[in-house]
Amino acid sequence: MKNQDLVDYLRSCGVCEICQLRYLKARGSEYKDVKETLRKLDVRVNEIVENGEAAISPDDRPAKKARLGVCPTCLGLFSEDFQMELLGGILASDFAKYDCQKIVLAICLPMSLQLKQLAMWFALQRKFGADVDGSNPPDVPIKEAVKLILHPIICEKLGKEYDANGLMINIDLTHKLEDEEVEKLVKLNREAFPAKAAYQKRVEISRGLLEKQYQPSKVKAETFEKYFQIPCSNVEEPVRLTSINLQGPLICVAGRYRKLSRELSHTPWIMNGQRLMEDSIEEIIIRHVGPHFADKLDKITFMSSGREDVDVRCLGKGRPFVLEIPNALNSSLSKEQAYKMEQAVDASGKVSILNLQVVAREDLTQIKTGEEQKRKFYRALCALNEPVSVEVLKKLQIPQSFEIQQKTPIRVLHRRPLHTRPRTIYSVKAKIQRGNSRALVIDIVTQAGTYIKELVHGEFGRTTPSLSSIVGKPIDIQALDVVGIDLEWPPEVDNSLHTEEAHQNKR
Ligand SMILES: [Zn+2]
């Protein structure tokens, strides 16, 4: 089968030039200059004729075919008219609201389109016989061609880059004959695959089924022809755009927070429909960071590497956290914007954040895994009923690690199952607080997941040993701070260095 013969036949059916190239199995950039590629493939280019009539030899001319100029294999999908319609549709959508440099098109094609490919496949087999394989499509599939042809054109016209993780433009297409043809297809399916139809009461006709089952090696041309024409019948209507929906990318924003208040919960604290605390770390951070990225703040997820109790502060370098923001309008965050957000959160006086940055989605594993292995650093302010003796102080210098058995504390039993867990305490170091001989400041390094308050007082023997059992005296914990979490993530960035002031100072 010569290229020229193939193209002559396709032209006689009214197939558009892009589709002619598809049947010549053109790849990638070959679609950019259609005429040039045709010449390269030794095909005469007929400049005058747009809809194919001139190249038709009289005996090949199917009656009245191709007059209306809608390509019977792509239904106009690759025509300039459709490109303009698509572009207009995208620009009329919420597209301008999204500040994303990268886009991806997801086009839902009507099944009519697949049927047209099959009809042409049969037609080519009839025309060229064994040159046309019965199980490998003779063309570059429409789906692939959309990527090769429409994607670059639309990206260029919108001034965007293609990226599978970019703003997703969901495009729904339909064709006037879609319903009618799907109905015929159901009947054809029953006839072509009677065995399957017998045990499946309702056969779901899907694009996947069409792709897998419908090829000349599996369906007879005669059966197909009872329902559809070979080659395709005269096509009057092109595909139509029915809807465009935009789905912004999922953006992850990470940072570290310090909790400066002893009256602040981690997430909204609501019991029996009543708020117990006016605010939370989650809400404060989302309130100041979220609006830059999204319209709907309630869709944002807040995660952190562990958490602290309401009355516990978290100091030092702070605790790593990440916000997962779906359908983001914005995918970038300048250091200057990040610094403004950090300052706005700091102004709450309750939480402070730093190292704010956009991170890759894959990095979320950093926060989600290895939680148990991490070390946590605490400082506890404790009190004895009597002045601290040298003996007690000595007992609370424990440089080597030891194991404790910890029953789930009574205070969390309403949300955690009752278990006894072994936990490693890496070190304990105590000193007397200046100005109060009964008060101790104890630095404790533990395995993540250790309940510190119970480690100190023992909770009636539910944690053994405890600092209280080690010294043989009751110890009361009065205040607790987290001073370090050994997770070196996200990377440190000093956003303050990128403000206008900082720039001016450099000059
Ligand atoms: Zn076409």
Side-chain angles (χ1 to χ4, degrees):
M1 172 175 63
K2 277 193 198 149
N3 284 349
Q4 185 67 56
D5 294 342
L6 173 62
V7 171
D8 283 347
Y9 178 69
L10 293 171
R11 282 176 182 165
S12 78
C13 301
V15 172
C16 75
E17 282 189 326
I18 296 265
C19 288
Q20 290 168 25
L21 287 188
R22 283 199 305 115
Y23 282 94
L24 292 166
K25 298 259 185 186
R27 315 300 311 175
S29 58
E30 291 181 326
Y31 290 95
K32 269 194 186 146
D33 188 338
V34 176
K35 297 211 183 333
E36 177 58 35
T37 304
L38 284 173
R39 270 185 215 108
K40 228 173 57 193
L41 294 168
D42 289 330
V43 175
R44 280 195 306 278
V45 178
N46 198 326
E47 303 286 351
I48 319 154
V49 174
E50 278 301 299
N51 59 10
E53 283 191 64
I56 306 168
S57 61
D59 53 316
D60 271 346
R61 189 187 302 240
K64 287 185 191 167
K65 286 278 155 67
R67 284 259 160 75
L68 291 148
V70 176
C71 169
T73 57
C74 70
L75 300 178
L77 185 66
F78 300 122
S79 69
E80 266 179 46
D81 284 354
F82 180 73
Q83 286 166 21
M84 295 326 280
E85 188 184 348
L86 183 55
L87 202 63
I90 294 172
L91 292 174
S93 71
D94 279 342
F95 186 70
K97 268 173 74 181
Y98 290 82
D99 185 17
C100 294
Q101 200 36 49
K102 294 164 176 177
I103 60 165
V104 56
L105 306 185
I107 304 190
C108 184
L109 301 167
M111 281 197 252
S112 291
L113 212 45
Q114 273 169 295
L115 288 167
K116 299 294 180 255
Q117 308 314 298
L118 186 58
M120 184 51 77
W121 194 346
F122 282 125
L124 291 173
Q125 269 203 327
R126 277 188 186 165
K127 174 84 185 160
F128 299 103
D131 282 353
V132 178
D133 194 271
S135 42
N136 289 308
D139 57 335
V140 172
I142 296 265
K143 256 202 273 174
E144 219 174 292
V146 164
K147 271 190 209 144
L148 294 173
I149 301 158
L150 278 182
H151 255 132
I153 292 174
I154 297 298
C155 282
E156 198 192 315
K157 296 216 160 125
L158 293 172
K160 302 286 178 185
E161 273 168 63
Y162 169 79
D163 188 312
N165 294 319
L167 167 64
M168 189 179 280
I169 305 177
N170 294 296
I171 300 157
D172 258 329
L173 300 184
T174 187
H175 190 259
K176 194 183 163 197
L177 298 176
E178 176 81 348
D179 290 348
E180 196 182 304
E181 293 194 327
V182 168
E183 229 169 83
K184 285 190 206 166
L185 186 58
V186 173
K187 289 180 193 151
L188 165 64
N189 197 62
R190 225 172 277 143
E191 191 174 339
F193 303 99
K196 274 194 186 149
Y199 71 80
Q200 280 181 310
K201 267 195 183 150
R202 269 196 56 197
V203 180
E204 193 72 38
I205 302 285
S206 67
R207 288 165 180 83
L209 175 93
L210 266 176
E211 230 161 84
K212 256 189 276 162
Q213 296 288 356
Y214 283 76
Q215 31 184 270
S217 63
K218 293 182 181 160
V219 179
K220 283 200 182 91
E222 295 70 42
T223 316
F224 183 80
E225 213 171 14
K226 282 188 199 166
Y227 302 93
F228 303 99
Q229 256 182 301
I230 300 175
C232 338
S233 55
N234 199 358
V235 180
E236 292 172 22
E237 295 259 347
V239 282
R240 284 266 164 254
L241 196 56
T242 46
S243 69
I244 290 186
N245 283 300
L246 303 175
Q247 174 79 42
L250 179 88
I251 296 293
C252 301
V253 180
R256 295 179 88 101
Y257 74 76
R258 287 190 283 229
K259 179 173 180 282
L260 309 172
S261 165
R262 293 196 190 281
E263 288 173 359
L264 185 65
S265 60
H266 191 79
T267 48
W269 191 7
I270 295 158
M271 232 187 241
N272 305 324
Q274 290 267 327
R275 267 201 93 115
L276 297 186
M277 289 239 150
E278 169 196 330
D279 220 338
S280 66
I281 298 173
E282 173 181 310
E283 288 162 290
I284 294 173
I285 295 178
I286 289 178
R287 191 184 304 145
H288 295 292
V289 177
H292 172 75
F293 293 98
D295 276 345
K296 291 188 183 134
L297 301 188
D298 58 334
K299 298 279 187 274
I300 299 177
T301 313
F302 172 75
M303 285 176 286
S304 62
S305 172
R307 55 162 67 200
E308 52 289 299
D309 291 337
V310 169
D311 58 349
V312 174
R313 296 185 302 178
C314 179
L315 308 173
K317 282 181 171 179
R319 188 185 291 276
F321 72 90
V322 69
L323 299 179
E324 241 183 352
I325 308 169
N327 193 13
L329 298 172
N330 225 320
S331 53
S332 60
L333 177 68
S334 72
K335 293 210 158 81
E336 203 172 335
Q337 289 164 326
Y339 184 59
K340 278 190 188 147
M341 291 173 186
E342 290 177 359
Q343 283 189 312
V345 172
D346 290 4
S348 72
K350 297 174 178 171
V351 192
S352 158
I353 58 171
L354 65 164
N355 296 337
L356 199 65
Q357 58 195 282
V358 171
V359 296
R361 204 167 162 179
E362 299 82 68
D363 285 355
L364 292 197
T365 50
Q366 297 272 7
I367 232 167
K368 287 176 177 167
T369 59
E371 181 61 30
E372 297 276 290
Q373 279 72 51
K374 281 170 211 152
R375 286 173 186 230
K376 303 266 160 131
F377 302 77
Y378 296 93
R379 173 162 285 187
L381 177 63
C382 303
L384 269 67
N385 294 327
E386 55 195 71
V388 179
S389 64
V390 176
E391 196 190 345
V392 164
L393 201 56
K394 267 190 187 163
K395 282 182 181 166
L396 290 178
Q397 313 300 324
I398 314 172
Q400 73 280 12
S401 57
F402 62 99
E403 198 164 275
I404 59 163
Q405 298 295 326
Q406 191 157 57
K407 279 206 179 91
T408 309
I410 293 162
R411 64 188 167 94
V412 298
L413 269 180
H414 64 283
R415 57 188 164 93
R416 296 276 155 82
L418 174 61
H419 281 307
T420 301
R421 297 177 190 82
R423 289 285 183 252
T424 304
I425 311 304
Y426 297 104
S427 68
V428 176
K429 202 168 148 189
K431 62 184 180 203
I432 297 171
Q433 205 202 14
R434 221 179 291 158
N436 186 347
S437 62
R438 292 197 303 181
L440 282 167
V441 174
I442 311 179
D443 287 323
I444 311 167
V445 184
T446 72
Q447 180 186 358
T450 308
Y451 294 101
I452 304 302
K453 292 170 185 169
E454 286 70 19
L455 167 68
V456 171
H457 58 61
E459 200 184 27
F460 320 110
R462 294 171 62 87
T463 292
T464 51
S466 64
L467 300 190
S468 170
S469 76
I470 288 169
V471 300
K473 295 176 194 299
I475 307 181
D476 188 29
I477 181 161
Q478 297 191 320
L480 181 64
D481 291 334
V482 177
V483 291
I485 293 152
D486 75 341
L487 173 60
E488 295 297 322
W489 185 89
E492 282 186 28
V493 282
D494 189 345
N495 291 317
S496 72
L497 296 176
H498 299 265
T499 58
E500 266 175 44
E501 289 161 49
H503 278 300
Q504 276 162 6
N505 288 345
K506 262 188 237 161
R507 280 179 215 145

